[in-house]
């Protein structure tokens, strides 16, 4: 990884308990693979960033915005759900 490269290697997202579990997993994974950029986010935030249809609402006041949110080619994305769906 080059200095200043902020692309995401592993993106983990979920809601409520699933998000909490994802954040814990991201912290553990970061300890094992310190050079990876690992991000755990709310699924609502991720959807807000990825949707481009008319009427979508972009999340505001986050440290990561639409201009700085990018996945590394070959990134791993994990969607967590404790509801089974």
């Amino acid at each position: 990884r080059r200095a200043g490269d902020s692309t995401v290697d592993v993106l983990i997202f979920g809601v409520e308990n699933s998000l909490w579990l994802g954040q814990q997993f991201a912290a553990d994974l970061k300890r094992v693979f310190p050079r990876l950029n690992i991000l755990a986010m709310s699924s609502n935030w991720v959807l807000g960033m990825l949707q481009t249809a008319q009427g979508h609402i972009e999340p505001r006041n986050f440290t990561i915005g639409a201009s700085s949110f990018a996945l590394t080619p070959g990134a791993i994305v994990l969607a967590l759900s404790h509801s089974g769906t």
Side-chain angles (χ1 to χ4, degrees):
R1 173 174 297 281
R2 287 182 268 154
D5 181 5
S6 62
T7 58
V8 178
D9 298 310
V10 180
L11 174 64
I12 303 165
F13 62 93
V15 176
E16 297 177 352
N17 290 340
S18 298
L19 175 57
W20 181 84
L21 184 64
Q23 291 169 328
Q24 298 304 306
F25 178 66
D28 293 342
L29 199 59
K30 184 69 175 177
R31 289 187 67 134
V32 176
F33 301 102
R35 297 188 72 185
L36 290 180
N37 188 7
I38 302 165
L39 186 61
M41 300 294 295
S42 162
S43 58
N44 294 326
W45 186 92
V46 173
L47 287 173
M49 283 291 110
L50 298 178
Q51 290 179 343
T52 58
Q54 182 178 0
H56 97 283
I57 298 173
E58 183 177 317
R60 301 283 183 202
N61 298 323
F62 281 88
T63 56
I64 300 171
S67 61
S68 62
F69 179 66
L71 297 174
T72 304
I76 296 171
V77 179
L78 300 172
L80 304 180
S81 172
H82 70 278
S83 67
T85 57

